[in-house]
Amino acid sequence: MICFDEVGSTSDAAFNAAAHCNGQALVVTAEFQRAGRGRLGRKWICPPGAGILASALLFDPGGRLPHEALTIAAGLAIAEGIEESTGVQAALEWPNDLVLDGAKLAGVLVEVRGRGSARHVVVGFGINVYAAPPARQVGRATAFLAEATGSQATLERVEILRAVLVALDRWVMAIQAGGADALRDRWRQRCHMINRRLTFDSAQGRVTGRVLDIDPFQGLILLSDDGRRLCLPAAASSIAR
Ligand code: BT5
């Protein structure tokens, strides 16, 4: 593990360290990020010391960790780790958000660089623990764990991070072993989007329809209002806001 007081982005630090890791996994954390990023050019904003900012570097020379499945697995691992360490039950919002009553508690950013024996995957995540930026600053309602538990005193970030990493490790091994069914089932239990009519921005433009399923390897399966069965990949899709 490398722990920074301040860094640009923990995910950049993880990629930069890859050359020195000799194939060993690495976790980078920071108390503050100057340039924390979300997906599709968006920002992740967290006041100093208020949350968990972490990036796990995974080596994947065999290409057995697809972006799609890792995004799903990381969200689930965060939800499970939070529940185990704090008792808070967060819902999963496809593709990469954790929410409490619709307010965003945590987000995942999976990035892949290099190929072949130099294929590096970084799973970055931010979790709001003691505070969250206000909605007016980030453009949507936010949540944080201390608000949900009613107390800061019982929340130890290191315990939450440990529980998340243990769960992530388990799901990464499950993906490598081809065990996607359990991943799909657990995801669906924590996701309230199935069978709802929702609108998404995707590479195919804006589409509205009924969510049929979440497939860990393909993406979200949508029956569009005009009767098409669409598959939206996580990397390029978001709920329209
Ligand atoms: C995400 O992107 O949710 C992925 C966030 C990943 C952040 C981690 S922190 C450690 C690692 N290092 C990095 O540089 N990044 C990763 P996306 O789905 O694009 O959501 C971004 C949107 O979430 C923003 O446009 C805001 O609307 C909102 N947002 C930003 N900061 C937030 C916060 N602290 N809490 C809740 N919502 C936030």
Side-chain angles (χ1 to χ4, degrees):
M1 271 189 85
I2 305 176
C3 307
F4 288 97
D5 283 336
E6 186 179 324
V7 73
S9 157
T10 54
S11 292
D12 285 337
F15 277 121
N16 292 341
H20 311 289
C21 285
N22 295 324
Q24 303 261 31
L26 170 79
V27 176
V28 177
T29 66
E31 293 290 344
F32 180 68
Q33 293 183 127
R34 289 183 300 274
R37 61 175 174 266
R39 301 181 317 129
L40 309 167
R42 296 189 286 241
K43 292 189 170 73
W44 186 258
I45 295 165
C46 182
I52 294 173
L53 305 168
S55 295
L57 169 73
L58 307 171
F59 290 86
D60 184 30
R64 288 186 302 157
L65 294 174
H67 187 279
E68 192 74 40
L70 265 180
T71 301
I72 300 295
L76 182 58
I78 295 168
E80 290 179 343
I82 286 175
E83 183 169 356
E84 195 207 305
S85 56
T86 70
V88 174
Q89 292 188 333
L92 290 166
E93 199 176 87
W94 186 87
N96 67 318
D97 288 349
L98 280 87
V99 294
L100 291 174
D101 291 331
K104 185 156 170 172
L105 173 71
V108 175
L109 172 70
V110 175
E111 295 170 294
V112 180
R113 291 188 193 164
R115 43 172 77 176
S117 61
R119 187 174 194 270
H120 301 148
V121 183
V122 169
V123 180
F125 51 92
I127 307 173
N128 300 326
V129 181
Y130 302 125
R136 65 182 142 69
Q137 192 181 0
V138 299
R140 67 172 290 189
T142 57
F144 56 101
L145 288 172
E147 184 184 41
T149 60
S151 157
Q152 299 215 348
T154 53
L155 293 171
E156 281 291 345
R157 284 180 299 169
V158 70
E159 287 303 324
I160 300 167
L161 180 61
R162 184 198 60 79
V164 168
L165 292 174
V166 168
L168 182 63
D169 199 39
R170 208 172 43 233
W171 285 117
V172 164
M173 285 192 287
I175 295 170
Q176 285 173 326
D181 288 350
L183 184 56
R184 178 200 277 112
D185 292 348
R186 295 282 188 86
W187 227 89
R188 290 181 56 132
Q189 284 166 16
R190 287 182 187 266
C191 174
H192 304 152
M193 297 162 74
I194 311 281
N195 277 327
R196 278 177 57 196
R197 184 171 173 274
L198 295 167
T199 300
F200 295 89
D201 287 322
S202 75
Q204 308 166 39
R206 186 165 276 206
V207 282
T208 300
R210 187 163 62 85
V211 177
L212 298 179
D213 202 0
I214 311 281
D215 184 295
F217 290 98
Q218 294 182 51
L220 181 131
I221 317 290
L222 188 78
L223 182 61
S224 69
D225 284 355
D226 57 9
R228 290 173 297 154
R229 193 174 189 279
L230 302 175
C231 179
L232 308 182
S237 313
S238 300
I239 296 185
R241 298 192 187 281

